[in-house]
Amino acid sequence: MFTDTHAHLYYPEILDSLNEILERAKDSGIERIIVPAVDLGSSRKILELSEKYDMIYAALGVHPCDVSKNEISTLDEIEILLDHEKVVAVGETGLDYYWDRSNIELQKEFFTRQIKMACDHSLPVVIHTRSSTEDAVSIIETTAADNPALKGQFHCFSGNADELGRILKLENFYISYCGNITYKNFDNSETVKNTPAERLLSETDSPFLPPVPFRGKKNEPSYMLKTLEKISEIKSADFKKLSETISGNISKLFF
Ligand SMILES: [Zn+2]
């Protein structure tokens, strides 16, 4: 049994064929999908989907690339929604210095506030980083020092060996990789190799980053097994055993 911990299933081009996408996910052995929000509108939409489809669970929050389009008070409205029974995380939040470096302080404000929401509601935090892993790890280290129960996921991890080492020291934090690890130009295999199975989660980031041989298509949860196969190949690990360990990690963190 598999779980896709990160699939944006609410974009219009996906919604049109959601029934088929979920059927293909089930056929490939995926039983749960966590859908992360990027803002208040998507948070509400995900809750609707989670009420309609048993296998869909929700992560609610504001994405770092969307902070400039939102007031910080949006998070008050999202916080009220966290009590919904299908909510399993806060996010996705984090820092993105690749697309926009002009609003770093605002990104940090949204990130810090969402970490606090996660602490207050005993939920894990789903973290996006791009060219910003160092700062995100530092913020989590500082907060975790005062909140030992803080837990979460560094999704689509692209950090270096040092950042990986620091995350592994944070007991309740996990790491996941997307389909780009199957691309020819992927140059971070050492990091994948050095991520212990006990700290790994599975995800797609659908509709983005489809693994080989689905490049050029919209990514979807059923493609996740190709990424898992690649991880087991890089780690020289038994696929079945690795998948079972990952499933255990996901149950521990989210369910
Ligand atoms: Zn995402």
Side-chain angles (χ1 to χ4, degrees), residues 6 19 28-29 36 41 46 56 62 66 75 80 89 92 119 138 141 205 228 230 239 248:
H6 201 106
N19 285 325
S28 65
I46 294 163
I56 290 185
V62 175
D66 291 81
L75 294 176
I80 294 166
E92 65 183 286
C119 289
S138 296
E141 282 170 341
D205 203 16
L228 275 178
K230 186 69 186 182
F239 179 81

Side-chain angles (χ1 to χ4, degrees), residues 6-8 10-11 36-38 63 92 126 128 155 203 205-206 208:
H6 201 106
H8 298 274
Y10 44 82
Y11 291 126
V38 294
H63 191 285
E92 65 183 286
V126 177
H128 164 108
H155 117 85
E203 68 155 312
D205 203 16
S206 298
F208 313 109

Side-chain angles (χ1 to χ4, degrees), residues 11-24 53 218 220:
Y11 291 126
E13 72 267 29
I14 289 199
L15 273 182
D16 289 346
S17 44
L18 187 57
N19 285 325
E20 293 88 330
I21 287 171
L22 295 181
E23 279 311 310
R24 286 196 288 273
Y53 299 101
K218 278 176 297 215
E220 61 172 69

Side-chain angles (χ1 to χ4, degrees), residues 28-190:
S28 65
I30 291 171
E31 60 169 4
R32 295 180 296 211
I33 301 171
I34 299 173
V35 182
V38 294
D39 58 12
L40 178 61
S42 51
S43 293
R44 289 187 175 130
K45 183 73 204 167
I46 294 163
L47 290 184
E48 262 173 50
L49 294 174
S50 76
E51 287 168 5
K52 189 169 170 197
Y53 299 101
D54 278 351
M55 70 191 300
I56 290 185
Y57 294 83
L60 307 185
V62 175
H63 191 285
C65 292
D66 291 81
V67 298
S68 291
K69 289 177 259 165
N70 286 279
E71 298 295 329
I72 192 84
S73 61
T74 299
L75 294 176
D76 298 334
E77 292 180 68
I78 290 179
E79 185 160 19
I80 294 166
L81 304 177
L82 294 178
D83 291 330
H84 191 285
E85 59 173 5
K86 296 293 287 286
V87 173
V88 296
V90 172
E92 65 183 286
T93 177
L95 302 169
D96 192 312
Y97 299 171
Y98 179 82
W99 291 110
D100 196 349
R101 299 187 67 93
S102 71
N103 62 359
I104 287 177
E105 286 314 307
L106 187 64
Q107 289 190 41
K108 286 183 179 172
E109 191 185 349
F110 271 80
F111 185 31
T112 309
R113 173 72 204 289
Q114 289 178 90
I115 296 168
K116 186 175 184 312
M117 282 160 56
C119 289
D120 291 348
H121 292 260
S122 303
L123 289 168
V125 61
V126 177
I127 303 164
H128 164 108
T129 59
R130 195 157 179 201
S131 312
S132 61
T133 310
E134 154 94 62
D135 276 9
V137 172
S138 296
I139 289 172
I140 291 293
E141 282 170 341
T142 309
T143 324
D146 296 329
N147 302 274
L150 179 64
K151 53 189 177 177
Q153 168 186 23
F154 282 86
H155 117 85
C156 199
F157 186 68
S158 59
N160 59 31
D162 174 59
E163 288 148 359
L164 173 69
R166 287 166 63 187
I167 293 170
L168 295 179
K169 281 195 196 127
L170 297 158
E171 229 178 293
N172 309 317
F173 279 80
Y174 295 81
I175 285 166
S176 52
Y177 296 96
C178 298
N180 57 317
I181 69 163
T182 66
Y183 301 171
K184 271 208 179 73
N185 62 357
F186 180 71
D187 57 5
N188 216 0
S189 296
E190 270 309 293

